[in-house]
């Protein structure tokens, strides 16, 4: 049987950029930039994206396309009978954990969409927004229901496979997302007083950047580009042999970065124009931004667009996360894609419920001083993803060999890859060192 795969270059780009562009770009990036002083943080983030993120992305794509198989199978094909396939096993496990808490926040977004459309959200007073959000997330039924819906939609798309599922929906959803963001960005920068927000985003003030901020930038670069758990490795395995992987890597990276900055351009000018504070953390898009919408003309309309936009971004990311375990179990155990998808979706929902309830009835249940949500987020984002990225780079740099990786990246020497020397060097030395530093920092072994 022929293996499923992407039908067109545009489809690959839409799906891979769709994976990268997600809650990380629109919910998290603006608020961590806001907390770390804006432009200076963004500059460091950009360095991390291009110096560390991009080479790891190329490594993932290359291993996947060479192996033509799932996260585990690809390592096995490229380097038979070696323990490196456990990098893939780790990726599969990490997918379960990330989906379990990612679906919590995506669920809140969908709850906001439904309440914005029915007018419940758009008509309340700005002063009541905090209570509104608090009420929503502390419930025991509603947020769990929305989480279920998010996982259901994700499974619905993934079940149809790559060409008829992931690719088809990404090709529709990503242009809509871009269009909505541009509309919102125009609205935001044309508000009176918007300039201060742009200055905050683009004029660096290094005095507000701490060592902690630098490390956070590096960690977020990984999360935002969907690296370290074989997502892009799995997508890479569906890419045809004649596609150019180096330019694909550059395009995905630029798209992800552009959208993160555009999200900043939507959020900060508006926040500054209405005299609100940019550093309200995770509540930025749930409380601060609605406050802005409720003060501007036709704000209700823009509010609906904004939350639909994040909902789209979230779904094109969750499908990429789910694809990793689905591909693994279907191929390695020869099971039907349908059955596997349903079963995994159910398991993810079950392990995800405690994360959702962490803001309500399970608030006081903590492990190592963290509630379920924070524990899942911390373990996956700060420990498992960096370890995954480290293993992937060590595998390419020292086991399989950069020469072999470059051969695959250049389609057996048929295309030019100007930075191949730099890619090899960075993969062998800079990336592992950079990742070890984040890892030691995030586990508290070294303190900045
Ligand atoms: N990159 C996505 C975001 O920014 C999230 C995501 C999707 C992800 N797949 C991933 C993160 C794989 C890490 C690994 O929201």
């Amino acid at each position: 049987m022929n293996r499923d795969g992407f039908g067109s270059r545009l489809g690959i780009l839409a799906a891979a950029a769709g994976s990268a562009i997600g809650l990380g770009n629109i919910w998290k990036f603006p608020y961590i930039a806001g907390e770390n002083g804006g432009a200076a943080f963004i500059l460091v983030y950009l360095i991390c994206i291009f110096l560390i993120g991009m080479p790891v992305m190329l490594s993932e794509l290359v291993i996947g396309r060479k192996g033509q198989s799932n996260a585990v199978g690809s390592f096995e094909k490229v380097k038979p009978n070696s323990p490196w396939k456990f990098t893939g096993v780790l990726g599969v496990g990490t997918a379960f954990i990330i989906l379990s808490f990612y679906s919590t926040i995506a669920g809140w977004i969908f709850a906001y969409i439904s309440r914005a459309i029915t007018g419940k959200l758009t008509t309340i007073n700005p002063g009541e927004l905090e209570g509104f959000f608090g009420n929503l997330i502390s419930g025991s039924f509603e947020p769990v229901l929305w989480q279920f819906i998010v996982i259901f939609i994700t499974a619905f798309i993934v079940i149809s496979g790559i060409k008829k599922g992931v690719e088809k929906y990404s090709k529709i959803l990503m242009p809509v997302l871009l269009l909505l963001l541009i509309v919102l960005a125009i609205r935001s920068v044309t508000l009176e007083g918007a300039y201060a927000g742009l200055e905050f985003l683009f004029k660096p003030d290094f005095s507000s950047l701490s060592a902690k901020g630098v490390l956070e930038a590096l960690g977020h670069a990984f999360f935002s580009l969907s690296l370290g758990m074989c997502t892009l490795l799995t997508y890479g395995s569906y890419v045809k042999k004649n596609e150019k992987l180096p330019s694909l890597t550059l395009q995905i990276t630029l798209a992800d970065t552009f959208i993160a900055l555009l999200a900043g351009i939507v959020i900060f000018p508006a926040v500054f124009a209405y005299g609100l504070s940019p550093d309200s953390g995770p509540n930025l898009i749930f409380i601060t931004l609605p406050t802005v919408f409720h003060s501007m003309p036709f704000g209700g309309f823009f509010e609906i667009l904004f939350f639909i936009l994040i909902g789209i971004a979230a779904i094109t990311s969750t499908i990429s996360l789910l694809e990793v375990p689905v591909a693994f179990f279907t191929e390695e155990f020869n099971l039907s894609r349908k059955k596997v998808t349903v079963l995994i979706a159910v398991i993810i929902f079950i392990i995800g419920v405690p994360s959702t309830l962490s803001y309500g009835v399970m608030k006081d249940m903590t492990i190592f001083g963290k509630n379920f949500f924070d524990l899942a987020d911390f373990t996956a984002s700060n420990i498992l993803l960096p370890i995954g990225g480290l293993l992937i780079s060590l595998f390419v740099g020292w086991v399989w060999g950069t020469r072999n990786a470059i051969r695959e990246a250049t389609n057996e020497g048929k295309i030019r890859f100007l930075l191949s020397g730099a890619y090899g060097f960075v993969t062998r030395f800079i990336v592992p060192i950079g990742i070890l530093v984040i890892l030691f920092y995030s586990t508290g072994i070294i303190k900045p």
Side-chain angles (χ1 to χ4, degrees), residues 1 7 72 117 122 127 139 149 152 169 253 277 279-280 298 306 314 336 379 381 390 394 410 419 439 443:
M1 202 181 83
V72 177
I117 291 176
T122 46
I149 292 172
F152 183 88
Y169 286 93
T253 307
S277 150
D279 56 1
S280 65
F298 305 110
F306 182 75
S336 101
T379 313
S381 315
L390 178 65
L394 291 178
T410 55
L419 292 174
L439 209 56
T443 49

Side-chain angles (χ1 to χ4, degrees), residues 102-419:
Y102 203 86
S103 56
T104 299
I105 313 231
W108 299 346
I109 301 283
F110 277 74
Y112 263 57
I113 296 176
S114 94
R115 288 170 180 201
I117 291 176
T118 55
K120 276 197 205 105
L121 171 63
T122 46
T123 50
I124 60 174
N125 293 325
E128 291 169 275
L129 277 163
E130 209 174 324
F132 174 87
F133 181 55
N135 257 338
L136 169 74
I137 67 173
S138 61
S140 299
F141 177 71
E142 213 204 318
V144 176
L145 177 68
W146 286 113
Q147 176 174 40
F148 178 81
I149 292 172
V150 166
I151 296 173
F152 183 88
I153 298 173
T154 306
F156 175 82
I157 297 176
V158 168
I159 229 167
S160 311
I162 296 302
K163 210 177 274 121
K164 297 199 185 102
V166 172
E167 178 172 4
K168 183 175 123 195
Y169 286 93
S170 303
K171 263 163 69 180
I172 304 168
L173 293 174
M174 294 312 286
V176 177
L177 176 137
L178 186 63
L179 187 77
L180 294 181
L181 253 182
I182 290 174
V183 171
L184 287 162
I186 293 172
R187 167 68 278 197
S188 186
V189 296
T190 50
L191 290 166
E192 204 173 326
Y195 186 71
L198 291 175
E199 216 173 43
F200 177 77
L201 264 177
F202 295 113
K203 208 167 133 198
D205 164 18
F206 285 96
S207 64
S208 53
L209 187 71
S210 60
K212 180 176 163 287
V214 173
L215 292 161
E216 224 171 297
L218 187 52
H220 186 64
F222 251 75
F223 188 86
S224 188
L225 292 174
S226 298
L227 301 176
M229 53 149 278
C230 305
T231 304
L232 290 170
L233 186 154
T234 305
Y235 274 12
S237 75
Y238 300 120
V239 172
K240 290 200 187 79
K241 284 286 184 192
N242 61 358
E243 295 290 353
K244 298 175 179 159
L245 295 181
S247 66
L248 180 66
T249 304
L250 182 65
Q251 286 164 357
I252 301 169
T253 307
L254 290 177
D256 186 66
T257 310
F258 176 71
I259 298 289
L261 292 174
L262 203 56
I265 293 175
V266 169
I267 293 172
F268 292 114
V271 165
F272 276 84
Y274 286 91
L276 296 167
S277 150
D279 56 1
S280 65
N283 293 342
L284 185 65
I285 66 161
F286 290 106
I287 299 174
T288 309
L289 205 60
T291 308
V292 170
F293 285 129
H294 292 192
S295 321
M296 67 165 73
F298 305 110
F301 170 71
F302 290 111
E303 185 164 31
I304 294 174
L305 292 189
F306 182 75
F307 283 104
I308 290 179
L309 154 99
I310 315 179
I312 293 175
I315 292 294
T316 51
S317 296
T318 53
I319 56 179
S320 75
L321 286 156
L322 185 57
E323 179 60 29
V324 175
V326 166
F328 166 69
F329 286 106
T330 351
E331 292 180 349
E332 297 295 309
F333 300 95
N334 232 331
L335 299 168
S336 101
R337 186 172 175 97
K338 228 180 224 150
K339 281 193 202 128
V340 167
T341 309
V342 172
L343 191 68
I344 295 176
V346 170
I347 295 172
I348 286 167
F349 174 64
I350 294 170
I351 57 175
V353 169
S355 281
T356 302
L357 296 180
S358 295
Y359 294 88
V361 288
M362 292 173 75
K363 192 165 58 226
D364 299 322
M365 284 177 75
T366 55
I367 302 170
F368 306 120
K370 289 180 161 49
N371 65 24
F372 276 99
F373 181 99
D374 291 335
L375 188 70
D377 183 6
F378 178 83
T379 313
S381 315
N382 296 355
I383 300 176
L384 300 176
L385 290 181
I387 291 179
L390 178 65
L391 293 176
I392 287 164
S393 297
L394 291 178
F395 176 76
V396 167
W398 301 95
V399 180
W400 183 32
T402 48
R403 196 180 296 232
N404 291 323
I406 290 168
R407 198 170 301 142
E408 179 64 30
T410 55
N411 304 351
E412 311 293 328
K414 284 203 236 18
I415 58 165
R416 282 206 307 170
F417 174 24
L418 287 178
L419 292 174

